[in-house]
Amino acid sequence: VSRCSWGLRGCHCRQQDNLHQQGGSLAAEGRQSLASAADHMKVVPSLLLPILLAQVWLVPGLVPSPQSPEAPAPQNQTSRVVQAPREEEEDEEAASKEDEAWLTAREQQLAKETSNFGFSLLRKISMRHDGNMVFSPLGISLAMAGLMLGATGPTKAQIKRGLHLQTLNPTKPGLLPSLFRRLRETLSRNQELGLAQGSFAFIHKDFDVKETFLNLSKRYFDTECVPMNFRNASQAKGLMNHYINKETRGKIPKLFDEINPETKLMIVDYILFKGKWLTPFDPVFTEADTFHLDKYKTIKVPMMYGTGKFASTFDKNFRCHVLKLPYRGNATMLVILMEKTNDHLALEDYLTTDLVETWLRNMKTRNMEVFFPKFKLDQKYEMHELLKQMGIRRIFSPWADLSELSATERNLQVSRVLQRAVIEVDERGTEAVAGTLSEIIAYSMPPVIKVDRPFHFMIYEETSGMLLFLGRVVNPTLL
C-alpha cells in the first residue's frame, strides 16, 4: 500500500508494507510444534486490529522549561592495545555477541513489563464494565512511547512509570525507543505471523513541530507525517478516516466521529493481525450450541470443534483450565476458562506474567477434543481516562512538558488517547498445515475442553514473549 506523500518540512513519508493482500495464504508451515490436525480441516484465521489515537492541542498552561532533545545513547567505544588482526576481530565478535545478548535480555524485560502493564489496564477497564473487551497492550505502549520522544522532565517520567518501564536502564536515554524499534523489526520480519504495524502523525499545517521529533519518530516508530487543516474539521475528519480505512483494509472505516478544530497533532497507531491456527477447526463440525452467560441465562452460539494434540493445564489454586491454541508464525492464543461460570472476574485481580509463565511451564500435550465459540469483538476505549488512573496524568494537563515536540508552542497537552480494537475468529481460510507430532503425556486434564462459559484470552508472540492482545468474552454473540 502506497501512502500519500504530502510536503512538510522534516516530515518523512514511507511505503507501507503490504498488509497481506491475500489473507488466505501465508508463506510456510508454522514452526509451532505443539499441535497438528487432519489434512481435510480448514484453517481458522483470526483478525485483530487495535487503533490508537493520541490527540494534542493548544491550551492555556504553564510554560515548561526547555530540555535537551532526546537522542540515542552513543555506543561505548573502548580503546584497546594494538593487536593482531585476527585477535582484534575475535574481540569485536565477542563484544558484539555480548551486546546482542544484553539487548535480547532487555527486550524480554520490555515484553514482561508491557504484559504486566496490560494486566493492570485490564483491571482498570473491568472497574468500568464487566462485558466483552479486547485491547492491545503493545499498541498502547507504542503510542505512548512515541509521545515520550517529545516529552521531558516529570511528564516523561510519569509515562515511563505508568507503562512499567522505569527500570529499563534509565541511564541510557536512547534505549527504550531502540528496544521498541528492534521489537517492531522482529515482528515485521516474521511474514508467517501475519502482523502489520504502523503509525500516522496528523499535523496541523501551520503547527511548528521540531524536526528532531519528526526524525526520531520516523527512525524508531516509522511514523508517517501527514499535514492537515484541522480548522476545517469536517474535511480533516474525512481525510483521516480515509487514511485509516485504507491502511486497515476497510476494517476500521470510521475511526473519527468528530474533530476539535483546535487540534494541532494527532498520533494514530494501528496493529493488524491475521493469524492462522496450527490446529484448525473444520467448519463442517460447527454447530449451534449452548453458552452459559451466568448461572441462570444461556444462549445459542456457533460452536467450533477441533480434535488433535493440544497443550493445556489445570490450575488447582484458581480452579481454571488453560488451553494453548497456537498460530502459525510462532504466536499463541492462551484461553483461560474458569471451572465455575461466575468466577471469571475474580481471576483478573491475580493475572501477572509470573502466573502466565507458571501455566506455560506446567503445560502438557495430549490428544483432546476442543469446543470453541466463534466470536467477533469490536471495542473502543477512551484510554486517556484509564491512563490517568495508572498515574499518567501530567501529559493530559496544562502542566504537560512537550518542549521536545514543538519549539514555539509551549502550552501543549494531550487531549485524547483512543483505542479501537477488532478481533474476529471464524473458519474462513485455506487447507490446514499439519503440525509436528508431540509426545502424548497422560495427566489429570480432561480429554474434552468445552469453552461454553465466559473466558479470557491473550495472544502473544513466543520469541519475544510480547503480549499483543488481551481480552475477555462474556457473550460471543455481542461485539
Side-chain angles (χ1 to χ4, degrees):
V1 179
S2 294
R3 287 181 170 170
C4 186
S5 299
W6 291 39
L8 179 66
R9 184 172 179 269
C11 188
H12 300 266
C13 294
R14 62 187 167 86
Q15 197 80 4
Q16 168 67 5
D17 291 338
N18 188 294
L19 290 179
H20 306 277
Q21 296 176 5
Q22 298 180 358
S25 64
L26 285 175
E29 179 178 335
R31 295 191 301 264
Q32 181 60 253
S33 63
L34 290 175
S36 65
D39 291 338
H40 71 279
M41 291 188 176
K42 301 294 183 181
V43 170
V44 186
S46 69
L47 178 72
L48 298 100
L49 174 72
I51 295 286
L52 275 126
L53 158 72
Q55 178 179 354
V56 183
W57 57 0
L58 286 166
V59 295
L62 300 179
V63 179
S65 58
Q67 301 278 346
S68 59
E70 177 172 349
Q75 293 184 355
N76 293 329
Q77 297 182 351
T78 305
S79 60
R80 40 172 80 129
V81 179
V82 177
Q83 302 176 10
R86 181 176 296 179
E87 292 177 349
E88 188 170 331
E89 288 176 5
E90 289 175 352
D91 286 350
E92 289 177 355
E93 183 179 348
S96 176
K97 288 181 179 179
E98 287 179 6
D99 290 344
E100 184 64 28
W102 185 86
L103 285 170
T104 300
R106 299 290 79 72
E107 278 188 84
Q108 293 171 347
Q109 187 181 356
L110 172 65
K112 182 171 183 176
E113 297 302 343
T114 300
S115 299
N116 279 327
F117 162 73
F119 295 135
S120 296
L121 194 55
L122 171 71
R123 288 185 274 273
K124 296 299 182 185
I125 297 174
S126 292
M127 293 172 65
R128 294 173 172 248
H129 74 102
D130 55 6
N132 295 341
M133 73 164 72
V134 60
F135 66 95
S136 171
L138 173 59
I140 300 167
S141 292
L142 283 169
M144 297 306 294
L147 279 174
M148 267 200 292
L149 294 174
T152 58
T155 303
K156 185 174 183 177
Q158 271 195 359
I159 300 174
K160 278 188 179 179
R161 286 196 301 270
L163 296 180
H164 295 203
L165 302 178
Q166 71 275 15
T167 60
L168 275 167
N169 284 73
T171 57
K172 295 191 175 185
L175 177 63
L176 267 180
S178 295
L179 289 177
F180 276 111
R181 181 176 64 180
R182 281 171 58 94
L183 176 66
R184 286 181 53 258
E185 290 171 349
T186 298
L187 296 176
S188 63
R189 281 197 303 266
N190 186 350
Q191 296 297 315
E192 209 170 26
L193 181 61
L195 187 76
Q197 182 271 333
S199 62
F200 287 102
F202 296 108
I203 304 170
H204 185 61
K205 61 185 183 69
D206 297 327
F207 184 50
D208 184 17
V209 180
K210 278 189 174 182
E211 190 162 354
T212 303
F213 174 80
L214 295 173
N215 290 339
L216 292 175
S217 296
K218 174 65 178 178
R219 177 178 180 180
Y220 292 116
F221 298 96
D222 206 16
T223 302
E224 179 183 354
C225 303
V226 183
M228 195 68 57
N229 181 10
F230 286 111
R231 295 290 183 183
N232 188 338
S234 177
Q235 182 188 60
K237 179 181 72 173
L239 284 171
M240 290 190 295
N241 279 332
H242 170 74
Y243 269 89
I244 301 303
N245 182 54
K246 180 181 177 183
E247 291 303 305
T248 61
R249 299 285 176 182
K251 297 300 177 182
I252 303 289
K254 187 180 178 183
L255 177 64
F256 303 101
D257 295 321
E258 58 181 353
I259 299 297
N260 190 311
E262 298 301 316
T263 298
K264 297 300 179 185
L265 171 67
M266 281 191 177
I267 297 175
V268 177
D269 190 279
Y270 66 87
I271 299 179
L272 177 66
F273 177 62
K274 191 170 186 178
K276 292 183 178 180
W277 302 120
L278 268 179
T279 302
F281 300 87
D282 192 333
V284 171
F285 299 121
T286 299
E287 296 180 350
D289 206 342
T290 300
F291 188 92
H292 300 268
L293 299 177
D294 54 37
K295 289 181 178 179
Y296 311 104
K297 296 179 183 177
T298 62
I299 55 170
K300 291 292 184 181
V301 302
M303 189 73 74
M304 302 183 295
Y305 170 81
T307 182
K309 289 178 169 58
F310 292 89
S312 56
T313 189
F314 182 77
D315 189 320
K316 294 181 180 179
N317 293 325
F318 293 102
R319 308 301 301 175
C320 65
H321 301 282
V322 184
L323 173 67
K324 197 174 183 181
L325 299 176
Y327 290 101
R328 295 171 62 176
N330 213 29
T332 293
M333 175 184 281
L334 215 58
V335 180
I336 303 99
L337 181 69
M338 300 301 291
E339 193 173 41
K340 295 182 180 179
T341 300
N342 285 350
D343 290 351
H344 61 282
L345 294 177
L347 175 68
E348 294 174 354
D349 290 335
Y350 302 96
L351 284 175
T352 63
T353 54
D354 289 338
L355 178 59
V356 174
E357 288 170 0
T358 299
W359 288 338
L360 294 176
R361 282 196 304 270
N362 292 331
M363 286 278 174
K364 305 295 181 184
T365 302
R366 65 174 295 178
N367 276 327
M368 297 181 67
E369 294 178 283
V370 170
F371 295 84
F372 194 58
K374 291 171 60 173
F375 64 92
K376 179 178 179 180
L377 304 181
D378 187 341
Q379 298 285 313
K380 188 174 179 178
Y381 301 104
E382 297 285 344
M383 285 294 179
H384 51 281
E385 294 299 332
L386 298 167
L387 292 172
K388 287 178 185 177
Q389 296 179 31
M390 299 181 69
I392 305 177
R393 300 186 182 91
R394 200 176 186 96
I395 197 169
F396 304 111
S397 76
W399 294 273
D401 186 345
L402 293 168
S403 54
E404 295 305 330
L405 193 152
S406 175
T408 56
E409 305 289 357
R410 297 298 180 83
N411 48 343
L412 286 174
Q413 74 181 57
V414 175
S415 59
R416 298 174 72 198
V417 175
L418 174 71
Q419 183 179 79
R420 184 171 179 182
V422 178
I423 174 174
E424 186 172 6
V425 177
D426 62 24
E427 301 96 344
R428 290 173 302 144
T430 56
E431 290 185 0
V433 178
T436 305
L437 294 178
S438 299
E439 180 184 0
I440 300 176
I441 301 173
Y443 68 114
S444 60
M445 194 71 196
V448 177
I449 288 185
K450 192 166 189 177
V451 185
D452 61 353
R453 50 196 181 275
F455 62 93
H456 290 85
F457 67 89
M458 54 189 78
I459 297 178
Y460 63 94
E461 197 276 326
E462 293 212 21
T463 303
S464 63
M466 177 60 71
L467 181 61
L468 305 176
F469 302 93
L470 181 58
R472 176 178 69 203
V473 178
V474 175
N475 186 337
T477 65
L478 299 179
L479 292 176

